[in-house]
Amino acid sequence: MAAPSPGPREVLAPSPEAGCRAVTSSRRGLLWRLRDKQSRLGLFEISPGHELHGMTCMMQAGLWAATQVSMDHPPTGPPSQDDFSEVLTQVHEGFELGTLAGPAFAWLRRSLGLAEEDYQAALGPGGPYLQFLSTSKSKASFFLSHDQRFFLKTQGRREVQVLLAHLPRYVQHLQRHPHSLLARLLGVHSLRVNRGKKTYFIIMQSVFYPAGRISERYDIKGCEVSRWVEPAPEGSALVLVLKDLNFQGKTIKLGPQRSWFLRQMELDTTFLRELNVLDYSLLMAFHCLHEDERGLGSSLIFRTARSVEGAQSPEESEAQNRRLLPDTPNALHILDGPEQRYFLGVVDLATVYGLRKRLEYLWKTLRYPSRTFSTVSPARYARRLCQWVEAHTE
């Protein structure tokens, strides 16, 4: 690995040539702005005056500089133990941005076919981040890159420690199962303003991308308690992620893809059970396919070559549970049924079943004696989510 030496390091960061304040709508054509505005219905630009504008500008400048390091020192092979433990702190004017396990994530991004230049352009100061109203009970902040391709979420220090502890096994799981439904974690960072307390955040590929035609979004845990969201009023532009009880009476219609989906859910939840993790969610969204999008069509040869790339034999491909990937961006999270396109991914992988969650389970058992809730053992959680998927697919 031709990367900087491992361990905590602090360096003066380079600066992008154009900062957040230099981005103005006058640089963009009217037609582009109208089309862009239409694709962002229900989302809010974090522009000057927004309470999080300063924070996101620092994130953008910091991520531009952090990605420049991986561009200057690209990975030359799979990550080493030192790569997983490296911490790089870049000092900017008024803040510091930490990059945790940077070489490991750079290798992971490359293995996904993601160009560092595209990653830097999407997350850097080329346009404002977007915010949406989250239905999550956590106190985290959620953002999207301006092109909606990447999802950013603030995390607690304990959750970050769990993610980093599990990172080597997570990378190994994605190598064994390249078409896994686990959300693709692309980076873990810390932001420290004026020597204050660190704010940690993660970056993932957005499961709901491209989002322009998505009609409904759901966060599924396979239980009942606190799993209802009041839908947005008819005609509202709000983008809400609904929950289990909102999906009652509905079905995910996958046709021949159903058996692959059930098998992959079993593989991924078994992995999470082995990590002693619970409280993760199956994100699901969909939109109708146009007539010319239905069926395999003329892209079958391309899709077949793309989907088996890296497999050594048919037996290995079957063990890895590969499938034909659609010829579309974000193909790993997209599954086409006979009439609808589904966006599917498993997220929130940082809650461990420790003493606190065991006590929470005992309390909820008394509080909700005849109802299902999220805090159960990892084995039961995995089994129950797989049962939900089996019962709600055809």
Side-chain angles (χ1 to χ4, degrees):
M1 178 76 65
S5 58
R9 295 187 304 114
E10 187 172 293
V11 298
L12 186 64
S15 298
E17 293 181 0
C20 291
R21 289 169 293 187
V23 179
T24 64
S25 59
S26 62
R27 293 169 53 189
R28 302 168 178 170
L30 176 61
L31 182 61
W32 186 94
R33 294 202 307 271
L34 290 174
R35 184 172 65 246
D36 187 53
K37 184 177 180 181
Q38 177 66 25
S39 71
R40 295 179 178 186
L41 283 177
L43 299 171
F44 305 91
E45 282 193 357
I46 303 177
S47 51
H50 192 290
E51 63 178 347
L52 296 174
H53 180 253
M55 173 183 173
T56 57
C57 278
M58 287 183 279
M59 291 168 68
Q60 289 180 312
L63 289 173
W64 187 95
T67 309
Q68 191 63 44
V69 172
S70 60
M71 292 167 63
D72 294 340
H73 304 277
T76 58
S80 66
Q81 184 175 353
D82 287 339
D83 294 330
F84 284 113
S85 60
E86 180 178 297
V87 179
L88 173 66
T89 301
Q90 293 175 292
V91 181
H92 299 255
E93 185 178 352
F95 72 95
E96 301 171 358
L97 188 109
T99 300
L100 290 75
F105 282 115
W107 181 87
L108 182 56
R109 293 192 296 268
R110 173 176 283 194
S111 73
L112 295 171
L114 176 57
E116 292 293 86
E117 293 81 1
D118 293 341
Y119 186 71
Q120 185 184 57
L123 292 167
Y129 285 169
L130 307 174
Q131 186 183 34
F132 59 93
L133 296 180
S134 171
T135 54
S136 170
K137 293 190 296 181
S138 76
K139 297 179 181 179
S141 296
F142 303 86
F143 313 109
L144 287 169
S145 57
H146 64 86
D147 60 1
Q148 302 185 48
R149 189 177 177 185
F150 301 111
F151 177 86
L152 301 91
K153 177 185 178 183
T154 59
Q155 297 264 226
R157 182 178 180 180
R158 182 180 301 177
E159 294 169 313
V160 165
Q161 290 173 335
V162 169
L163 287 174
L164 293 175
H166 292 163
L167 185 58
R169 294 180 66 182
Y170 168 83
V171 169
Q172 186 180 58
H173 180 76
L174 295 186
Q175 288 180 288
R176 289 176 177 171
H177 304 288
H179 296 172
S180 166
L181 290 168
L182 297 184
R184 295 317 193 260
L185 187 61
L186 304 176
V188 176
H189 299 272
S190 65
L191 177 68
R192 189 181 186 189
V193 182
N194 295 326
R195 295 287 177 178
K197 184 179 179 181
K198 289 182 179 180
T199 297
Y200 292 91
F201 64 95
I202 64 171
I203 305 170
M204 302 184 301
Q205 277 188 192
S206 175
V207 174
F208 299 153
Y209 177 82
R213 290 163 53 194
I214 289 178
S215 55
E216 294 182 36
R217 298 165 173 81
Y218 292 88
D219 176 310
I220 301 297
K221 292 184 182 289
C223 58
E224 302 170 280
V225 173
S226 300
R227 302 306 296 166
W228 166 264
V229 171
E230 194 63 36
E234 189 73 25
S236 170
L238 285 177
V239 174
L240 290 182
V241 179
L242 305 176
K243 298 186 179 181
D244 301 61
L245 297 181
N246 299 93
F247 199 74
Q248 283 187 336
K250 301 180 181 182
T251 305
I252 303 172
K253 298 180 180 180
L254 294 175
Q257 301 265 36
R258 179 177 183 264
S259 58
W260 177 89
F261 180 49
L262 295 181
R263 174 61 178 154
Q264 193 58 54
M265 284 296 297
E266 181 184 350
L267 290 169
D268 288 335
T269 57
T270 296
F271 168 69
L272 295 175
R273 183 193 70 207
E274 292 170 352
L275 295 182
N276 200 35
V277 165
L278 72 156
D279 217 19
Y280 44 89
S281 297
L282 171 65
L283 290 187
M284 184 266 294
F286 57 85
H287 67 68
C288 291
L289 290 169
H290 296 317
E291 193 66 36
D292 60 354
E293 295 174 318
R294 299 176 184 178
L296 297 179
S298 60
S299 62
L300 177 60
I301 295 177
F302 173 80
R303 292 172 61 189
T304 302
R306 181 182 181 186
S307 301
V308 301
E309 182 181 359
Q312 302 301 313
S313 65
E315 292 77 14
E316 183 181 5
S317 184
E318 182 177 352
Q320 293 178 334
N321 198 41
R322 292 175 179 259
R323 63 183 173 97
L324 292 178
L325 296 175
D327 184 13
T328 181
N330 199 30
L332 290 170
H333 288 300
I334 291 177
L335 207 58
D336 286 346
E339 298 182 352
Q340 291 182 311
R341 169 161 290 175
Y342 292 92
F343 299 75
L344 299 156
V346 178
V347 300
D348 295 337
L349 315 178
T351 302
V352 172
Y353 193 55
L355 177 60
R356 183 178 177 181
K357 284 296 176 181
R358 292 173 190 271
L359 293 174
E360 185 178 328
Y361 165 73
L362 294 174
W363 178 83
K364 287 186 175 180
T365 300
L366 299 174
R367 179 75 173 82
Y368 308 107
S370 59
R371 302 179 67 192
T372 57
F373 46 84
S374 62
T375 310
V376 293
S377 71
R380 185 175 174 185
Y381 195 96
R383 182 171 62 251
R384 188 175 64 188
L385 186 56
C386 286
Q387 289 171 344
W388 187 98
V389 167
E390 188 166 5
H392 291 83
T393 53
E394 62 180 41

